[in-house]
Every structure is written in C-alpha cells, then in structure tokens.
Amino acid sequence: MTVAKEDVRTLAETARAASRALATIPSRQKDAAMLRMALHLRAAAPFILAANAEDVAAARKAGKNAAFIDRLLLDAQRLESMARAVEAVADLKDPVGEVTEQWTRPNGLQIRKVRLPLGVVLMIYESRPNVTSDAAALCLKSGNAVLLRGGSESARSNQAIAKALRQGLVEARLPENAIQVVPAGERESLLELLKLEGLIDLCIPRGGEGLIRFVAENARIPVVKHYKGVCHVYVHEAADLDMATRITVNAKASRPGVCNAAECLLVDRSVAERFLPKVGRVLVDKKVELRGCPTTVAVLSRAGIPVKPATEDDYGQEFLDLILAVRVVKDLDGALAHIARYGSEHTEAIVTGDAEVASRFTREVTASGVLWNASTRFNDGGELGLGAEIGISTSRLHAFGPMGLRELTSQKYVVHGSGQVR
Amino acid sequence: MTVAKEDVRTLAETARAASRALATIPSRQKDAAMLRMALHLRAAAPFILAANAEDVAAARKAGKNAAFIDRLLLDAQRLESMARAVEAVADLKDPVGEVTEQWTRPNGLQIRKVRLPLGVVLMIYESRPNVTSDAAALCLKSGNAVLLRGGSESARSNQAIAKALRQGLVEARLPENAIQVVPAGERESLLELLKLEGLIDLCIPRGGEGLIRFVAENARIPVVKHYKGVCHVYVHEAADLDMATRITVNAKASRPGVCNAAECLLVDRSVAERFLPKVGRVLVDKKVELRGCPTTVAVLSRAGIPVKPATEDDYGQEFLDLILAVRVVKDLDGALAHIARYGSEHTEAIVTGDAEVASRFTREVTASGVLWNASTRFNDGGELGLGAEIGISTSRLHAFGPMGLRELTSQKYVVHGSGQVR
C-alpha cells in the first residue's frame, strides 16, 4: 500500500485534534477506555492471532531467524499478557494535572508546576507487536495521542491489535484517532512524518541502530533516542566475589538479547587471579563465550577455561548474545576510563564493599542507570517502580533512562495572583 | 574570518573534554571561578567598552535602528549589572548531585534520582552582549561547557567579554575551554555545529523567528526552542475591571519589546461596553495603538478613543511594540478557542473573580505560563523564583517555560543494592 504525503499529514492532523480533546479528559474516562481496550484484545483474539500467523508465515518465508520469529510471534498467553499490561496501566496514577511543586513569592504570587500531556507521540518500533498495545496504553493514560509506526513484518498483527484498542476508545466515548497505526514499510512516509513539526511533539524510536540513526538524522521533530546498551559490570578489588559472580552471571546470561544485559566485564588486577576462574566456570556452564584481554586469556587458560582473545572491536560492542568481553583493569580509574570510552551511557554497575569507591563510581559515571552491588538488569521501568515503560532513553534531554508515564508529560507554570503587576 | 569545518569540530571536541572535567568539580570551585569572572569583567571594563564601541559604530554605520543599538550598547552601569548577575549565579544552589527523589523497592534496592550536567550547551543568540556572561555563568554553575555563538554585530564585544570570563576560569584552575566563543556571522559554521551529534547535547537558540527556524530545520542535535510570545490577556465578565485595567496596561506597555508582553486583549461581550473605554483611555495615554474587532471599534469610537480595525494578520502577531490587538469574545469558550488558534503556548492570562472559570482556563490552556489575576510579565525566571534564566522555552520537551539551572541538567538513576539479581 502506498501512502501519499497528504495522507500522512492528515493522520497527524487527526491525531493532533484527538490530543486536544484528550488533554483535559478525566482519569476515570481514560481508565474506562483502557479496561474496554483490554476486553477487546481478548475478544478479538482469533482475529489477532490469525493476522499474526500471516505475519509469521511471511517472515518464515523471508528466511528470518528463530530469534526474529520469536519476537514477532503471538499466542494466547502472550495476548493475555498484553491485555493485562493495558489493565495495569489503567491502575497507575494519572500524571496529568499533578502538582509537582508549589511555592509563594514575596509579592504573594502562588506558583504551581502542573503536569500536562506532551500532545502527539510518534512511536517507531520494529517487530514486537506487544509494543502496539503497551505504547497505546501509556500514551492514552498520559493524555497523549499516539501514532504507531511498527515494522512491516508485523503490519497485520499491529492493525488487528489497533482495531481492538480503538473499539475500546469508541465505547468510552474518547476520540478514536487518539490511537492510529501508520502504514509501515515505506521510508518516504516515515520521512514525511519526521518533518511534521508542530503536529508531532515527540518521536520515540526503538529498534536497531540503523533505524534509530535514520530517525535521528532525518527528524525535525524532537526525538528521544533509545540507542544500544553497552553495559559493564566492574568488579572492584573490595568486592564480595560470590556476589560479583551472581551479579555478572545474571547481568550477562539471564536475558542476553535485551539492552540492559552486560556486554563487558571489568576486573581489578589484584583480584583477577581469584575471581576470573570462579566466574568463568559459571559463565561457560551457561554457554557464554568469553573474549578476554591478554591477562584474562592467561588466567583463564591456566585454569583450563575456554576463552578467545578479545579484539578492539569486542569492546563497546552490543553482542545481544551469549558473548562477554572481559578486561582486567588496574583500578577504579582504569574502569572509569574504559567505561567513558566504550560505554553507551545506558547502564553501568560496580561490585564493591568499599562505599567511597562506590560513591566515586556512581558520581563519575555518566549513564542513565548506575548500580552498586546489583545487576544491570534492574535498569528497567518495572524494576525501578515506574510501573511500565515505553522505552529506555539514552538521550540526556527530557528523559534519561526508563521512560514511564511522567516522562510522557511536560510541566507548565500556573500562577495565581491578586492583581500583581511588574 | 573564515572558519573551517574542522575548526568548528575542534571547538566542540575541546568543549566536550572540558565538560567531562566540569561534571564532577565541587560547587565551591565553580563558585570561586564565577567570582573571579565577575572581577575580571570589572577589571576589563576599558577593553570591553572599547570593543563594544567598535561594534556600536559599525552597527550605526550599517544603519541599524535605535532599538537595535540600544540592545547592543554597553556602558559602565550595564557591565556592572553583568558582573553582579554572574555573582548572583554563584550564590544559587548547585543543581548537580541533587537527589530529587528516593525510594526503596520491595527487594531492598534503594533508588535515587540524581541530577547531572547535560554536557555541552550551544547557545545561539543575537545582539545582546549580556547573554554571553549570563549564559556562561548558568552553564558553568550547572556543570556544562558552553559554546557561545552570538551575532556578528556584537562579535567584538562577545570576544572581549569571553576573554575576561576565561581568565576567571583559569585562575580557579578550571578548564578554560568550558567557555568558548564561536566565530559569528557564517551560516556554514553554524550548520556544521548543528550537526555535531554526540559532541553537543543541547542547542538553545534565542532571537528572531528566522534564526530559530533556521536552527530547527537544520539541527541534528537536540534543540529547545524559544519561539515568539503571542500572549493574551483575557478579561472575563466576573473580572474586577480596575484590576483588569492595571494588568492589561502592565502586560502591554511596561516593556513591549519582550516575549512575555501581551499582544492581544480578549474581552467578554457582557463587559465590553464598560471595560473597553476604561482600559482604552489608559492604553492610548501610554501611546498604545489599538487594533480592534468590529465590536471593539464600535465601542471605542463611541467613547471617542482612537482605534483601527484589526485585520486577520493582527491576531497571532508578535508586535514587540506599542500595538495591541483587541477582540470581543462571547465567553470563556470563545477566549479558549481564540487562544488555541492564535496563541504561541508562551504565556496566557485571565482576569476573573470566578474561581471555577479560572480553574478551567488554567487547566485547558496549553502555555508554559498560565496566570490568573496577574500580568503576563511574571512568566520570567527571576519573577517565578528560579534565580536566573537562560531563556523561555516554548518547546514542551525537556523544559517548558523559563529555563533555570535545573533545566540545564538531566537526571540519572543511582541504585544501591546488596547483591540483588533478577
């Protein structure tokens, strides 16, 4: 299907009109819509799963690999999780209208900072169809209209899901155009969307680096980027080495395909001899391939643990797989220098019993999440207690780290006077 | 002077290096630098004023008007104000390291949100030389390196000011490249700067609409825009008409050339006959030209007050001059519709004694500042109590309204655990 420029603009204009209506709608009406959306996701299960089966068949035919198919695939259980996630967002506190601060000026002016929606959010993503309902619910709850631009691989699934969601909107007497799917697959229509300054307030790209670069290079609308996570675990000489092992193994192997998984282990020289064989054995048991610096290779080889020599490319690499780069560093300064050079400002962790060292690490490392004695996997909206996330920003502007409902709002100053003039 | 592409990139790279050093420097060292900067501004007065005199002479020769020359002109008193403004920023609380929120998760993880600098800020502005020292002080206090790209009209003044500021940095043993002036006047070098994604974290353009559009259309780095202020005063039928007169006159006439000055007065039909002649007389005494809708023209003409008919172009116009558009509206809904159509989301005010009407107005109007019974002129960093501002954002992303020190920071999650894994 070809989408003309005018059609893309029309989509955005109808989203804008819907966003104006949404901005002041009471929470209970938005919540009611979300409950109806969840119901319709369940009721439409046969249609959604049939549409998804077509997408999956096409992907198989196109020779996509198993991981790709797994991300794309829906079943009854996954659909039920999507419906529950929408209900969970309905249960969260509405951020719109929240007074975040208030104070009174010497001249008697009462100042409040009040949250308001951003307006229209353009969500650009790749194969996972659950993003369609997750993003729609988060945007609706925060009073934003959303344009959903998923990948062409999941186009049928996304359309079927959006149809169910829109039925929920209509039944709650909310504007149906608050949730719209943009036809996928054409770079031209995406380019048009990215230029609609004044109609779209925020673009959130989630996906591969190529997609995100394309968006960043072509957008005239504000973009909050979700780049790769090249996350490190740094084991300091004062670490509890059992704890360090648990954290390293969890950070690398519990779910290697996600952005808060560790890609590189840094170990203080003074504990390398004791720690590397210990952690290496567990990692190898978990099928992790180790790529080490010369010292790492020497230590692990002596212990009979398989290891490859790391190349320069292995540092700063997001493997998204059961591969871990390992490097022995001199000390805290060495670790900080490595992270400043190779990190992606996503998530960094230190394991140490020394509070002063931890304090320097957490202060000096620039990353959206910095963890002391905990797995990198906790840099996640749900785990941090934000309720749900629309992504993890690696931009420092507007939002840094997991973006929840609050990060989908802005704040205005509301001033109450009694006739004050300057 | 021609600036090669490579030179612009080098400037930004040195700024980036300086920003890394600045990020963790203690407050007292930054404050000491600001006090030295203020001293050097005073000590360098003869040089700065001589450089400014050359800029002013060139502007006169180029036939610039009186308002332009006034914005450009420095004298001993203005320079002293600039030095005091730098000292005032030193007195503000350092936002870096501030813990804005903290909580504990059921699994024992302690979460804190901690402020950190943005990194490198590119400030693009036009003729006012005081922006050079104001922006430099605000960026330094918030731990950011700044690239200052002023107008070519004030190039000599800005270089002389920056020289003094950098002496202050050096004496406080801070990196001199934390404050750098970018050679002005070439669109090519500006274009280069706007593409330096990864080196510059935020661009703040302040100036005419043409400049801001150029930046918005060409930037690949994040931009927080400072567009025009088309601010309205809406006089509701339940207004105290004396208060409404004071507020309208102050909003329009106290300083017509600034962005939070009112450009349009909206008046409820039911009070137009009583209010318009009252406010009209005072405005005309203040030399304000009135451009009214047909009802306004009829009412004012009957009262013998000079008024021109407004054209469609007069609504939504930022006059920045002693001109006021006036329109009679049916009621609150009429005012809200006018503001939604013609407002610039900068500042909007209502005058009314009816709290419910005010509540609807403040909730439904999208603007960075919404005022009830107070002049639009209060939407200003100093007046709201933020201490000092680097501009007033009309973007909803990152910062909406006056940008103070906090808006020059981001926040990261710092998580303290005891070995937790997922």
Side-chain angles (χ1 to χ4, degrees):
Chain A
M1 179 171 52
T2 295
V3 186
K5 271 191 186 186
E6 301 71 40
D7 295 343
V8 169
R9 172 171 277 274
T10 303
L11 274 180
E13 280 168 349
T14 55
R16 182 117 218 111
S19 81
R20 289 216 187 85
L22 273 190
T24 55
I25 275 174
S27 303
R28 60 179 180 285
Q29 199 178 342
K30 294 187 284 189
D31 294 346
M34 279 178 264
L35 298 183
R36 302 299 304 173
M37 283 156 60
L39 281 182
H40 281 287
L41 280 178
R42 293 189 181 102
F47 306 102
I48 294 171
L49 296 180
N52 183 253
E54 288 184 51
D55 282 338
V56 169
R60 286 220 168 90
K61 205 171 157 189
K64 299 288 184 183
N65 67 20
F68 186 96
I69 301 289
D70 182 61
R71 283 199 294 276
L72 179 57
L73 186 73
L74 291 180
D75 55 23
Q77 198 190 333
R78 286 183 177 185
L79 196 55
E80 175 58 25
S81 302
M82 286 164 59
R84 287 200 187 159
V86 172
E87 290 166 339
V89 174
D91 273 345
L92 296 175
K93 204 179 154 292
D94 187 345
V96 177
E98 187 196 343
V99 176
T100 59
E101 283 183 90
Q102 49 189 324
W103 62 93
T104 303
R105 296 287 301 155
N107 62 3
L109 285 182
Q110 297 172 325
I111 322 280
R112 285 179 296 147
K113 289 193 82 171
V114 181
R115 286 197 193 279
L116 74 166
L118 291 173
V120 177
V121 175
L122 169 61
M123 187 79 203
I124 300 175
Y125 52 108
E126 289 178 334
S127 50
R128 293 178 200 273
N130 66 300
V131 176
T132 305
S133 54
D134 289 355
L138 285 164
C139 287
L140 177 61
K141 182 84 191 195
S142 51
N144 296 291
V146 68
L147 294 171
L148 297 155
R149 208 273 188 188
S152 50
E153 328 76 45
S154 50
R156 299 174 191 89
S157 312
N158 292 338
Q159 287 285 6
I161 292 164
K163 192 177 170 196
L165 300 175
R166 284 161 63 103
Q167 281 180 297
L169 290 177
V170 171
E171 287 176 9
R173 284 174 296 135
L174 290 187
E176 198 180 8
N177 289 330
I179 300 172
Q180 293 183 82
V181 167
V182 181
E186 293 170 39
R187 284 267 151 131
E188 289 70 27
S189 70
L190 179 54
L191 269 177
E192 272 307 298
L193 279 170
L194 293 175
K195 285 177 186 153
L196 296 177
E197 218 198 337
L199 288 177
I200 300 176
D201 297 282
L202 172 63
C203 170
I204 304 179
R206 274 176 62 179
E209 222 180 322
L211 174 72
I212 295 178
R213 287 214 182 274
F214 179 83
V215 169
E217 284 175 13
N218 290 288
R220 285 194 194 159
I221 56 177
V223 177
V224 170
K225 286 185 279 284
H226 293 59
Y227 267 133
K228 61 185 177 181
V230 180
C231 312
H232 298 77
V233 173
Y234 166 49
V235 178
H236 176 254
E237 62 175 4
D240 169 334
L241 298 185
D242 289 327
M243 183 196 289
T245 302
R246 275 200 314 279
I247 288 176
T248 305
V249 172
N250 181 264
K252 176 69 259 182
S254 61
R255 210 172 158 200
V258 294
C259 58
N260 58 17
E263 305 294 3
C264 182
L265 170 67
L266 302 172
V267 179
D268 264 355
R269 182 168 303 161
S270 54
V271 291
E273 201 74 50
R274 279 191 297 142
F275 180 62
L276 283 176
K278 184 181 177 78
V279 74
R281 252 169 230 119
V282 189
L283 288 166
V284 167
D285 276 354
K286 297 263 180 190
K287 316 263 183 256
V288 176
E289 176 184 320
L290 302 172
R291 300 186 185 173
C293 67
T295 308
T296 302
V297 170
V299 172
L300 289 179
S301 302
R302 273 201 297 277
I305 295 166
V307 56
K308 291 184 181 170
T311 66
E312 174 64 22
D313 279 353
D314 288 324
Y315 301 124
Q317 175 91 245
E318 189 186 34
F319 300 110
L320 294 173
D321 203 346
L322 287 171
I323 302 169
L324 183 68
V326 185
R327 188 177 199 182
V328 171
V329 294
K330 187 160 169 280
D331 54 12
L332 174 61
D333 285 313
L336 290 171
H338 181 99
I339 290 169
R341 175 152 179 207
Y342 297 102
S344 63
E345 304 199 348
H346 192 294
T347 309
E348 304 296 349
I350 182 172
V351 188
T352 182
D354 184 328
E356 273 188 40
V357 167
S359 162
R360 239 195 96 197
F361 186 87
T362 55
R363 198 171 62 243
E364 297 193 13
V365 167
T366 298
S368 78
V370 187
L371 300 106
W372 171 24
N373 290 347
S375 170
T376 54
R377 298 288 326 286
F378 287 106
N379 194 17
D380 166 278
E383 294 296 329
L384 293 176
L386 310 184
E389 70 182 28
I390 200 161
I392 299 183
S393 162
T394 54
S395 302
R396 258 171 284 175
L397 258 281
H398 186 70
F400 194 29
M403 287 185 75
L405 287 174
R406 280 188 184 181
E407 287 72 26
L408 290 169
T409 67
S410 183
Q411 297 184 51
K412 65 181 174 186
Y413 289 93
V414 173
V415 180
H416 180 190
S418 49
Q420 283 86 343
V421 296
R422 279 177 78 179
Chain B
M1 180 170 50
T2 295
V3 186
K5 272 191 186 186
E6 301 71 43
D7 296 344
V8 168
R9 173 170 277 271
T10 303
L11 274 180
E13 280 169 349
T14 56
R16 183 116 218 112
S19 81
R20 288 216 188 86
L22 273 189
T24 53
I25 275 174
S27 303
R28 61 180 180 284
Q29 198 179 343
K30 295 189 283 189
D31 294 346
M34 279 179 263
L35 298 182
R36 303 299 305 172
M37 284 156 59
L39 280 180
H40 281 288
L41 281 178
R42 292 188 181 102
F47 306 101
I48 294 171
L49 295 180
N52 183 252
E54 287 183 53
D55 281 337
V56 169
R60 285 219 167 90
K61 205 171 158 189
K64 299 289 184 182
N65 67 21
F68 186 96
I69 301 289
D70 182 60
R71 283 199 294 276
L72 179 57
L73 186 72
L74 291 179
D75 55 24
Q77 199 189 331
R78 286 184 175 184
L79 195 55
E80 175 60 24
S81 301
M82 286 163 58
R84 287 199 186 159
V86 172
E87 288 166 340
V89 173
D91 273 345
L92 295 175
K93 202 177 155 294
D94 187 343
V96 177
E98 189 196 341
V99 176
T100 60
E101 282 183 90
Q102 50 189 324
W103 63 93
T104 303
R105 296 288 300 156
N107 61 4
L109 286 181
Q110 298 172 323
I111 322 277
R112 287 179 296 147
K113 289 191 82 171
V114 181
R115 288 197 191 278
L116 75 165
L118 291 173
V120 176
V121 175
L122 169 61
M123 186 79 202
I124 300 175
Y125 51 107
E126 289 178 332
S127 50
R128 293 180 201 271
N130 65 300
V131 175
T132 305
S133 53
D134 289 356
L138 285 164
C139 287
L140 177 62
K141 182 85 191 195
S142 51
N144 296 290
V146 66
L147 293 171
L148 298 155
R149 207 272 188 187
S152 49
E153 327 75 47
S154 50
R156 298 175 191 88
S157 311
N158 292 338
Q159 286 285 7
I161 292 164
K163 190 177 172 196
L165 300 176
R166 284 160 64 102
Q167 281 181 296
L169 289 178
V170 171
E171 287 176 11
R173 283 173 299 136
L174 290 188
E176 197 180 9
N177 290 331
I179 300 173
Q180 294 184 80
V181 168
V182 181
E186 293 170 39
R187 285 267 151 131
E188 288 70 27
S189 71
L190 180 52
L191 270 177
E192 272 306 299
L193 279 170
L194 293 175
K195 286 176 186 154
L196 296 177
E197 213 198 335
L199 287 177
I200 300 176
D201 298 281
L202 171 64
C203 170
I204 304 179
R206 275 176 63 179
E209 223 179 320
L211 174 72
I212 296 177
R213 287 214 182 276
F214 179 81
V215 169
E217 284 176 14
N218 290 288
R220 287 197 194 158
I221 56 177
V223 177
V224 170
K225 285 185 279 287
H226 293 60
Y227 266 134
K228 61 187 177 179
V230 180
C231 312
H232 298 78
V233 174
Y234 166 49
V235 178
H236 176 255
E237 62 176 3
D240 169 335
L241 298 185
D242 289 327
M243 184 196 287
T245 302
R246 275 200 315 278
I247 288 176
T248 306
V249 173
N250 181 264
K252 177 69 256 182
S254 61
R255 212 171 156 199
V258 294
C259 59
N260 59 15
E263 305 294 2
C264 181
L265 171 66
L266 302 172
V267 180
D268 263 354
R269 183 169 300 160
S270 55
V271 291
E273 202 72 51
R274 281 190 297 143
F275 179 63
L276 283 175
K278 186 181 174 79
V279 75
R281 253 171 229 118
V282 188
L283 288 167
V284 168
D285 276 357
K286 297 264 182 188
K287 315 265 184 254
V288 176
E289 176 185 316
L290 301 173
R291 301 186 184 173
C293 67
T295 309
T296 302
V297 170
V299 172
L300 289 178
S301 301
R302 275 200 297 278
I305 294 165
V307 57
K308 291 183 180 168
T311 65
E312 174 63 22
D313 280 352
D314 288 324
Y315 301 124
Q317 174 91 244
E318 188 185 34
F319 300 110
L320 293 174
D321 202 350
L322 288 170
I323 301 170
L324 183 67
V326 186
R327 189 177 199 181
V328 171
V329 294
K330 188 161 168 280
D331 54 12
L332 173 61
D333 285 314
L336 290 172
H338 181 99
I339 290 168
R341 176 155 178 204
Y342 298 103
S344 62
E345 304 199 347
H346 192 292
T347 310
E348 305 295 350
I350 183 172
V351 188
T352 182
D354 184 328
E356 274 187 40
V357 167
S359 162
R360 238 195 97 197
F361 186 87
T362 54
R363 199 171 61 243
E364 296 193 13
V365 167
T366 297
S368 78
V370 187
L371 300 106
W372 171 24
N373 291 346
S375 170
T376 53
R377 297 290 324 288
F378 287 105
N379 194 17
D380 167 278
E383 294 295 329
L384 293 177
L386 310 186
E389 70 183 27
I390 200 160
I392 299 184
S393 162
T394 54
S395 301
R396 258 172 282 174
L397 258 281
H398 185 71
F400 194 30
M403 288 184 75
L405 286 175
R406 280 187 185 181
E407 287 73 25
L408 291 169
T409 67
S410 183
Q411 296 183 50
K412 64 181 174 186
Y413 290 93
V414 173
V415 179
H416 180 190
S418 49
Q420 284 87 343
V421 296
R422 280 177 79 178

